[in-house]
DNA sequence: GAGTTTGAAACT
DNA sequence: CAGTTTCAAACTC
């Protein structure tokens, strides 16, 4: 939706133009070869490209027939359909938002596997587009790998992407756009849709989503400006792959599907990095600074995020590049063999968080998968993965002296609320440190508070950025109004089930540009249908207890006993007007 | 910008 | 599984 705006069609036109141009570039044999080169072995990769092409082609041509491909894989078909609708709507320039949120949710019924993939669709309009395009390719006798197909289902919403891509003036085509979870983080956020400005420094990135079922390649076609950025975004399944029926993406192929991004980034990492830092929107992409790991270990944020290192990185001896795809994949596989969840999102968002009501956004809705092990930071600094991910600590955490503003491990689930009271306990020091981290969060608040205005906007709010979202006022502890926000952060993660927190860029980076994505958009059907108890402050459905298994109490960071208390707390909170958009 | 702190990742 | 080392981000000055 980001691309849609008040300007309505005008904007759309620009977008199309841009895309068209990029597409052409991409299509050119030379360019195509370039991209294929590194991925050639990988069907997925190829597919991705194809998808990309299709995507753009679709946009350019304005085709709406993607829909006629119901037979495609579950996620895909629906995606196409939705996408088509979105396009239509967009064309009419009237309901961009619907596209993202309404459309997706509404369409579900028509889809075969809709139930399963619904969540995915929401998150990935972009992918949907891809899917559509893919279909196209198929017609053109281009084989699409299954992997890709799956990917499509997860594709991020097109709406958002377009914006990012489209910025007319943007030199950077960073496609941050879409990104899957991981990408999200990278790409994300930063882009203020309205200001659609891309950080040139963030050329395309390869995103390898470990578990991602969907891979999206944004075509940042403009290679010139982007240094060949082919961004591929992969989205992870909202739910456990097994649940969705989607294969876990450990498949190398899938991994391979990445954005092929540039090989040009290698020069002067420091300069690049510096440039990025100074850049107005440095936050756009993740950048590492690895010196010894060759960017082939989880120490490397890029690698861990499933993306290739890019120009902005200051890494040394980096192997996390398309040219070393095989190495990357092999390493990745090795790591996964050791720990299958190594590349899985670290933050698990509980179902409830996805509630549509802003009020329902609870901080506790998401929790770190493994929990942190902080000893000295009090879980108040980004050293803490929980804190960094914008989620509260849970019983899974082994932290000491937990003061996580998003929720303490001891059970203070609802930071927002409790924070008010508990914060008192927090010494000034803690606060200051917290404030420092959240300095920019405040800005975000407005956006969150007016999700509707912003949401569509976020081209990709995907991503890590959530942290930022938890904005407390920079100067104070989290205001009540912010409570929801806190919770929402998790919501930002596109996937209700899984998110990649680790990639959340520093808050500071995101805050500014961050645009809210409605959680519900991302919320999988399952979650919606069955809201966890926590789900909603406002709405506690009878089914509230039917929480999806994955979201155990532990996930929520609440012990069974605590659950009830938490619930009470939430319920006690009527609603947060500020957070609840009134339109 | 350099140095320190921190905690995850990796290793033993 | 626990302890130690390595690593790079986060943070401080």
């Amino acid at each position: 939706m980001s691309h849609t705006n008040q300007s309505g069609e005008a904007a759309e036109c620009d977008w199309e133009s841009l895309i068209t141009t990029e597409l052409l570039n991409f299509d050119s044999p030379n360019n195509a070869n370039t991209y294929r080169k590194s991925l050639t072995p990988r069907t997925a990769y190829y597919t991705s490209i194809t998808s990309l092409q299709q995507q753009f082609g679709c946009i350019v041509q304005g085709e709406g027939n993607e829909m006629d491909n119901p037979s495609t894989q579950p996620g895909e078909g629906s995606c196409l359909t939705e996408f088509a609708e979105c396009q239509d709507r967009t064309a009419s320039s009237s309901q961009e938002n619907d596209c993202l949120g309404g459309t997706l949710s509404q369409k579900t019924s028509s889809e075969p596997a809709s139930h399963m993939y619904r969540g995915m669709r929401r998150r990935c309009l972009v992918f949907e587009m891809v899917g559509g395009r893919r279909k196209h390719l198929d017609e053109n006798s281009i084989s699409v790998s299954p992997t890709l197909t799956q990917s499509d289902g997860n594709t991020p919403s097109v709406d958002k992407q377009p914006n990012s891509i489209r910025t007319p003036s943007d030199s950077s085509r960073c496609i941050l756009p879409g990104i899957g979870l991981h990408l999200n983080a990278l790409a994300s956020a930063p882009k203020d849709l309205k200001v659609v400005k891309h950080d040139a420094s963030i050329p395309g990135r390869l995103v390898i989503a470990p578990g991602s079922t969907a891979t999206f390649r944004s075509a940042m076609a403009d290679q010139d400006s982007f240094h060949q950025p082919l961004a591929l975004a992969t989205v992870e399944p909202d739910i456990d792959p097994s649940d969705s029926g989607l294969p876990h993406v450990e498949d190398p192929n899938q991994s391979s599907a990445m954005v092929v991004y540039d090989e040009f980034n290698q020069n002067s990492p420091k300069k690049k990095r510096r440039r990025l830092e100074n850049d107005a929107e440095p936050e756009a992409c993740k950048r590492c600074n690895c010196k010894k790991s060759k960017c082939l270990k989880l120490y490397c944020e890029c690698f861990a995020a499933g993306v290739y290192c890019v120009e902005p990185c200051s890494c040394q001896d980096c192997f996390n590049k398309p040219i070393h795809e095989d190495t990357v994949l092999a390493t990745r596989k090795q790591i996964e063999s050791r720990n299958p969840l190594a590349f899985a999102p670290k933050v698990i968002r509980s179902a409830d968080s996805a509630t549509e009501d802003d009020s329902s956004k609870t901080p506790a809705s998401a929790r770190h998968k493994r929990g942190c092990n902080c000893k000295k930071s009090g879980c108040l600094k980004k050293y803490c993965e929980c804190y960094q991910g914008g989620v509260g600590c849970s019983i899974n955490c082994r932290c000491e002296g937990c003061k996580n503003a998003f929720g303490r491990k001891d059970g203070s689930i609802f930071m927002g609320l409790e924070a008010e009271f508990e914060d008192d306990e927090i010494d000034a020091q803690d606060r200051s440190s917290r404030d420092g981290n959240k300095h920019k969060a405040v800005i975000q608040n407005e956006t969150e508070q007016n999700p509707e205005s912003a949401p569509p906007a976020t081209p990709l709010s995907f991503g890590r950025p959530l942290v930022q979202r938890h904005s407390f006022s920079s100067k104070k502890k989290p205001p009540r109004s912010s409570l929801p926000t806190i919770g929402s952060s998790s919501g930002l993660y596109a996937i209700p089930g899984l998110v990649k927190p680790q990639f959340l860029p520093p808050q500071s980076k995101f805050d500014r540009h961050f645009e809210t994505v409605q959680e519900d958009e991302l919320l999988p059907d399952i979650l919606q249908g069955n809201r966890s108890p926590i789900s909603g402050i406002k709405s506690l459905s009878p089914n509230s207890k039917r929480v999806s298994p994955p979201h155990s109490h532990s996930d929520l960071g609440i012990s069974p006993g605590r659950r009830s208390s938490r619930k009470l707390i939430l319920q006690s909170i009527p609603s947060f007007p500020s957070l609840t958009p009134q339109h």
Side-chain angles (χ1 to χ4, degrees), chain A residues 253-466:
Chain A
N253 290 338
Q254 204 159 17
S255 307
S256 63
M258 324 169 131
V259 175
V260 175
Y261 112 94
D262 75 70
E263 298 173 353
F264 309 74
N265 315 339
Q266 320 246 355
N267 21 335
S268 348
K270 285 205 169 184
K271 286 183 181 178
K272 294 175 184 176
R273 186 178 191 110
R274 195 165 312 165
R275 182 179 61 191
L276 290 177
E277 289 176 356
N278 294 332
D279 201 284
E281 299 183 3
E283 61 279 4
C285 290
K286 197 72 182 173
R287 300 178 286 282
C288 69
N289 191 32
C290 307
K291 292 179 177 59
K292 298 181 179 180
S293 67
K294 299 183 191 300
C295 297
L296 289 178
K297 294 194 175 183
L298 292 174
Y299 294 126
C300 175
E301 290 191 11
C302 299
F303 180 77
V307 302
Y308 285 128
C309 290
V310 291
E311 185 174 358
C313 293
S314 301
C315 46
Q316 299 173 10
D317 299 326
C318 180
F319 275 75
N320 186 28
K321 303 201 171 184
I323 57 174
H324 296 116
E325 181 187 12
D326 292 342
T327 301
V328 172
L329 294 176
T331 303
R332 182 187 177 81
K333 208 160 189 178
Q334 181 183 356
I335 293 171
E336 287 181 331
S337 66
R338 195 167 50 209
N339 175 13
L341 297 178
F343 294 92
K346 292 182 179 177
V347 173
I348 296 171
R349 180 182 174 212
S350 71
D352 60 330
S353 64
T355 305
E356 296 169 2
D357 289 341
D358 289 340
S359 62
S360 67
K361 296 176 182 178
T362 65
S365 59
R367 286 289 184 269
H368 194 275
K369 181 177 65 183
R370 291 188 315 270
C372 65
N373 193 32
C374 306
K375 299 281 189 298
K376 299 179 180 180
S377 68
C379 300
L380 284 174
K381 296 191 177 183
K382 292 178 77 177
Y383 295 125
C384 174
E385 290 195 353
C386 296
Y387 181 86
Q388 185 174 46
V391 302
C393 289
S394 68
I395 56 176
N396 292 328
C397 298
R398 282 86 55 198
C399 51
E400 298 176 2
C402 180
K403 294 177 182 176
N404 191 329
F406 299 108
R408 298 181 189 180
K409 137 187 170 183
D410 60 9
S412 320
I413 298 166
F414 199 3
M415 249 336 262
L417 257 192
E418 293 183 2
E420 294 248 322
F421 304 100
E422 294 181 11
D423 276 355
D424 295 342
E425 298 174 2
I426 298 169
D427 58 27
Q429 245 184 345
D430 291 345
R431 280 186 208 171
S432 60
S433 93
R434 215 192 302 169
D435 292 349
N437 291 330
K438 300 166 187 170
H439 50 297
K440 292 180 182 179
V442 174
I443 295 171
Q444 298 283 337
N445 273 344
E446 285 189 0
T447 302
E448 285 186 355
Q449 292 177 352
N450 299 304
E452 298 211 341
S453 59
T458 312
L460 277 187
S461 348
F462 319 114
R464 335 173 166 192
L466 305 199

